[in-house]
Amino acid sequence: MSGVVLVTGAATPGVAHAARRIAEAGDVRVVAVDTTLPTDDLGSVKFVRADIRTPVISKVLAVEDIDTVVHMDLAPMRSRGGGSATKEINVIGTMQVLAACQRAEAVRRVVLASSAAVYGASPRDPAVFTESATARGGTKSGFAKDIVEVEGYTRGFARRRPDVSVTTLRMAQWLSPHFTTVLGTYFSNPVLPVPMGFDARLQLLHPDDALEVISRAALEDHPGTFNVAGDGVLMLTQAARMLGKPTLPIPPLGFGSVLRQMVHFMGSDVSPGVHRLLTYGRVLDTTALREIFGYSPRHTTRETFEWYAESARPGLLHAWGITR
């Protein structure tokens, strides 16, 4: 074996897939950690029950002789514990993981599976975000604020351990019919609330592309920060028509609270802050991913959504014979 990779957040299906992909792609041993046992098959990946919010993660790094850490235990919301638990795992958990990496001399590579939420979402946003851009609004609370803090701690770690190759992957919204995602939860509703007078540009990431980028970052040195997203954009109203689902325009003022209430009434849930994405949208420039990292996503935004839509329950408009 050429190395040992630690993956955090294994109980999340997408993370479990990533851990398995890394194990299958390279001559490495993979160890995955979380507080609960994953429901997805981990294959040859070893699972260790550990809470990244505690110093026990340092013991895992030492006992397993970890040389690469892929930190993926970041989420906009948790099924248990509410917002306080989410922030604790996102921020305190990241601080503990990085502290453990700083003490572990064997660690030579750290990969942060970050999010495009670091750019926020506001009416003052540029048409396309490059990696050097900074948020102009929408990062003062919720998951976006967590990600800004997480990336700040990661940059601090990189300065303290210049001998470690640090890769930050700012990924667009994943969308899959096989496991829960932020936008997938929203699109699963029979009626889609939308902000009146806005039509957000959405950019999506196919799980296959996400897993391939994460796997390469875990097995090769790609220091730096990279936007990761599929080519092209899809307007929110286009997505609704493709699903055959009616939209319900809501006044922009108070859209977030109305969205949460309506989605809850329909038996679903919505991540805090997603109302800003559905209002202003967000598009990433992926030139650095292609030219520096060396990977070109194989699935466009539209192809990813069409793949998702094929498995989605037909909307009311389809049932009524209204085509897109």
Side-chain angles (χ1 to χ4, degrees):
M1 295 282 180
S2 60
V4 187
V5 180
L6 177 78
V7 180
T8 65
T12 303
V15 179
H17 293 173
R20 193 168 65 243
R21 173 74 69 91
I22 295 169
E24 294 169 351
D27 183 25
V28 294
R29 183 166 62 88
V30 179
V31 179
V33 299
D34 211 322
T35 56
T36 57
L37 189 68
T39 56
D40 285 56
D41 179 25
L42 289 176
S44 64
V45 176
K46 177 181 179 180
F47 176 73
V48 175
R49 192 185 298 271
D51 190 337
I52 65 170
R53 294 170 292 183
T54 67
V56 72
I57 193 66
S58 290
K59 296 181 180 179
V60 176
L61 264 64
V63 170
E64 300 293 343
D65 197 25
I66 302 295
D67 59 54
T68 298
V69 173
V70 180
H71 183 34
M72 297 186 69
D73 201 356
L74 301 167
M77 59 191 302
R78 309 279 172 174
S79 58
R80 292 178 295 176
S84 60
T86 296
K87 187 168 187 67
E88 279 186 11
I89 296 177
N90 289 345
V91 179
I92 305 302
T94 297
M95 293 174 66
Q96 288 286 2
V97 169
L98 294 175
C101 290
Q102 185 171 338
R103 292 189 292 267
E105 295 183 0
V107 172
R108 288 293 176 265
R109 185 181 300 126
V110 170
V111 179
L112 174 67
S114 186
S115 166
V118 72
Y119 297 117
S122 83
R124 297 181 290 117
D125 287 348
V128 179
F129 281 103
T130 62
E131 287 82 355
S132 62
T134 56
R136 300 186 183 183
T139 58
K140 295 185 181 298
S141 63
F143 183 59
K145 182 180 180 181
D146 290 355
I147 290 298
V148 169
E149 293 184 31
V150 163
E151 287 204 7
Y153 293 131
T154 304
R155 288 191 295 271
F157 166 79
R159 290 192 293 269
R160 293 189 296 272
R161 285 289 304 268
D163 58 311
V164 176
S165 175
V166 178
T167 304
T168 298
L169 303 174
R170 292 175 174 170
M171 294 184 284
Q173 293 290 338
W174 294 32
L175 189 63
S176 172
H178 304 307
F179 53 82
T180 301
T181 62
V182 171
L183 286 182
T185 301
Y186 167 75
F187 285 125
S188 67
N189 292 289
V191 177
L192 303 179
V194 298
M196 190 180 300
F198 292 85
D199 196 3
R201 297 176 304 150
L202 303 178
Q203 194 176 30
L204 305 174
L205 180 61
H206 195 288
D208 285 349
D209 285 319
L211 297 180
E212 183 62 24
V213 171
I214 293 169
S215 177
R216 293 191 187 193
L219 300 173
E220 307 163 0
D221 284 341
H222 293 284
T225 300
F226 302 95
N227 290 336
V228 187
D231 287 343
V233 300
L234 193 67
M235 309 305 290
L236 179 57
T237 54
Q238 286 180 309
R241 287 196 299 270
M242 291 171 69
L243 289 172
K245 294 189 175 183
T247 58
L248 180 61
I250 304 295
L253 186 62
F255 173 63
S257 60
V258 174
L259 173 67
R260 287 192 299 272
Q261 293 172 17
M262 289 193 61
V263 169
H264 181 72
F265 176 77
M266 291 185 283
S268 185
D269 205 349
V270 66
S271 300
V274 74
H275 67 284
R276 297 187 68 92
L277 177 63
L278 296 175
T279 301
Y280 305 113
R282 186 189 302 122
V283 181
L284 310 182
D285 182 299
T286 57
T287 301
L289 179 69
R290 291 175 166 78
E291 298 183 357
I292 301 176
F293 190 97
Y295 181 76
S296 297
R298 292 190 287 267
H299 304 275
T300 67
T301 289
R302 189 177 185 89
E303 288 170 348
T304 298
F305 193 84
E306 289 174 342
W307 170 66
Y308 166 81
E310 287 176 357
S311 300
R313 180 179 300 178
L316 295 174
L317 299 184
H318 282 325
W320 295 337
I322 301 175
T323 62
R324 59 185 176 186

